[in-house]
Amino acid sequence: MPISEELKNSFSRVLNRNWYLLGKELEEFESNYAAYNKTNFAVGVSNGLDALHLALQALEIGPGMEVIVPSNTYIATVLAVSYVDATPVLVEPDPQSYNIDPSKIEAAITSRTKAIMPVHLYGQACNMEEIMKMADRHELYVIEDNAQAHGATFNNKITGSWGHLNGTSFYPGKNLGALGDAGGVTTNDADLAQKVRVLRNYGSHKKYYNDVIGHNMRMDELQAAFLAVKLKHLDAWTQQRQQIASWYNETLNNAGDLILPFTTPGATHVYHLYVVQTQYRDQLQKYLTENNIGTLIHYPVPPHLQKAYAHLNHKKGDFPLAEKLADTCLSLPLWPGMEKRHVDYVSAAILNFFKTI
């Protein structure tokens, strides 16, 4: 790993300080990440799911209330709503960008709706201007799920800075990833930031004095130190991801029925994942595996068809776009440091596959 020495130095510094929670490393990372994310505040927490959970709780969203979420998101988005005993209301994505379709949100709003939780899926920014306008019209909160889109923008405004409170993940596989579990909440509201700080630490603003019933959801000093190192390299890694995506776009432009990623006008894409669609998805994945090319399916079962959400009484066919994406999407290899020869190898295998069908 090119940054191994920097990470080792950070480890030694934390070890020698003998202070492992809620210390200088976390404070410095929170300050630096807030500056990067163009927000007044960032609060380090235990993981991305807890970030969303804390954001909802800080906004006092709870039983009897509804939160609008995409129908094709990772389950964590929906779980966060369940954790505060609110009801997730699913809305279908735009078929080109895969992000929640703003034109479909309004029909899902009821008198019980309290928030919209857009997910910047696969690394592409949602159309936040339309979402914020709609939220303002209906006096709703917006909580961005920014777990996959560190550094992405919509109309030059960075994701994670639009909503009232926004959650992100620093899971190791993210564009900005720790070496363990970690997450963060961003906001421009000082009072909301303080509520999250209290909630993440047992409901306490001062040790042994508990103002509310809180949680143990803190980011530790070691992960904060590692993230501080990685944050300095994030923009360079993003540029590499975008270059790799452009190589795929060139080499796979006419490959069978393959649908390549589409970027909405005004949005930028930081390519947490490079996701393609094909009706031959399962056969293609098998062929690539046989050629020593690893791929993943994000995500094979949409939330409304998960056993955990059977109580919402959704059935197959209720969210056809989410189901289609679950059946046809495939994530191709992409990582910072990937060379053009790697992309050419993957692309050649895909082109050869389509010659066989």
Side-chain angles (χ1 to χ4, degrees):
M1 183 185 292
I3 60 171
S4 291
E5 288 306 312
E6 292 178 85
L7 294 173
K8 289 175 184 176
N9 291 338
S10 295
F11 175 82
S12 296
R13 186 176 66 250
V14 173
L15 189 65
N16 292 332
R17 274 182 172 171
N18 294 310
W19 192 282
Y20 306 112
L21 288 167
L22 300 181
K24 290 182 179 178
E25 300 289 346
L26 179 58
E27 289 176 4
E28 290 175 9
F29 173 70
E30 288 174 335
S31 177
N32 291 338
Y33 187 72
Y36 178 86
N37 212 74
K38 306 293 192 297
T39 53
N40 293 334
F41 306 98
V43 182
V45 300
S46 40
N47 57 63
L49 172 54
D50 290 345
L52 297 175
H53 178 185
L54 289 168
L56 288 161
Q57 192 172 356
L59 292 170
E60 300 180 8
I61 293 171
M65 303 178 191
E66 296 176 348
V67 178
I68 291 173
V69 299
S71 62
N72 61 318
T73 186
Y74 180 56
I75 198 67
T77 316
V78 189
L79 289 173
V81 179
S82 298
Y83 283 2
V84 295
D85 294 320
T87 300
V89 175
L90 306 177
V91 169
E92 288 271 71
D94 173 86
Q96 289 185 296
S97 71
Y98 313 144
N99 280 331
I100 192 167
D101 189 339
S103 70
K104 296 175 182 174
I105 292 175
E106 200 137 26
I109 295 173
T110 72
S111 60
R112 296 181 296 279
T113 307
K114 296 301 176 185
I116 305 169
M117 191 180 286
V119 180
H120 306 295
L121 198 66
Y122 306 146
Q124 180 177 181
C126 293
N127 185 337
M128 290 307 302
E129 284 195 354
E130 288 301 314
I131 291 170
M132 295 306 297
K133 287 176 184 175
M134 194 175 311
D136 288 344
R137 282 200 304 273
H138 294 274
E139 298 183 337
L140 303 176
Y141 291 118
V142 173
I143 303 163
E144 294 173 73
D145 182 338
N146 196 35
Q148 300 184 13
H150 306 123
T153 60
F154 189 81
N155 284 353
N156 299 313
K157 183 175 169 65
I158 196 167
T159 56
S161 70
W162 291 82
H164 299 87
L165 274 172
N166 312 295
T168 193
S169 169
F170 302 122
Y171 178 78
K174 303 301 185 187
N175 290 24
L176 178 61
L179 301 188
D181 268 329
V185 176
T186 55
T187 184
N188 286 312
D189 188 305
D191 291 336
L192 289 176
Q194 181 60 18
K195 285 181 77 171
V196 173
R197 290 191 196 99
V198 169
L199 285 167
R200 75 174 174 184
N201 188 39
Y202 299 101
S204 173
H205 73 284
K206 180 182 177 182
K207 196 168 185 178
Y208 303 128
Y209 294 83
N210 303 86
D211 300 328
V212 296
I213 296 172
H215 311 273
N216 179 10
M217 294 180 173
R218 303 166 298 194
M219 183 192 295
D220 66 70
E221 288 286 277
L222 191 57
Q223 299 308 330
F226 290 152
L227 285 166
V229 170
K230 288 189 164 190
L231 181 60
K232 294 182 291 185
H233 299 273
L234 179 57
D235 285 342
W237 290 339
T238 297
Q239 290 172 10
Q240 291 179 46
R241 288 177 179 275
Q242 291 168 334
Q243 176 62 73
I244 294 161
S246 72
W247 288 335
Y248 272 131
N249 291 342
E250 292 167 9
T251 55
L252 295 175
N253 190 38
N254 295 303
D257 73 337
L258 211 63
I259 299 174
L260 305 182
F262 170 84
T263 303
T264 303
T268 63
H269 203 316
V270 297
Y271 293 99
H272 171 59
L273 299 170
Y274 187 90
V275 179
V276 298
Q277 276 192 80
T278 171
Q279 63 179 318
Y280 305 104
R281 192 269 308 281
D282 294 342
Q283 299 97 306
L284 175 59
Q285 185 177 46
K286 181 175 182 292
Y287 182 86
L288 293 177
T289 300
E290 291 168 351
N291 283 274
N292 300 312
I293 298 169
T295 60
L296 288 172
I297 298 170
H298 296 88
Y299 304 99
V301 182
H304 71 284
L305 297 180
Q306 297 283 1
K307 285 177 64 177
Y309 284 95
H311 63 279
L312 294 181
N313 297 316
H314 294 306
K315 62 184 183 302
K316 193 170 179 62
D318 284 352
F319 299 95
L321 280 174
E323 292 169 28
K324 180 185 177 185
L325 294 174
D327 291 340
T328 60
C329 279
L330 187 67
S331 300
L332 301 184
L334 188 155
W335 68 89
M338 189 177 186
E339 299 175 12
K340 190 169 190 302
R341 62 187 176 89
H342 300 133
V343 174
D344 289 342
Y345 180 78
V346 175
S347 298
I350 292 172
L351 293 168
N352 285 337
F353 167 78
F354 280 108
K355 290 176 184 176
T356 69
I357 57 174

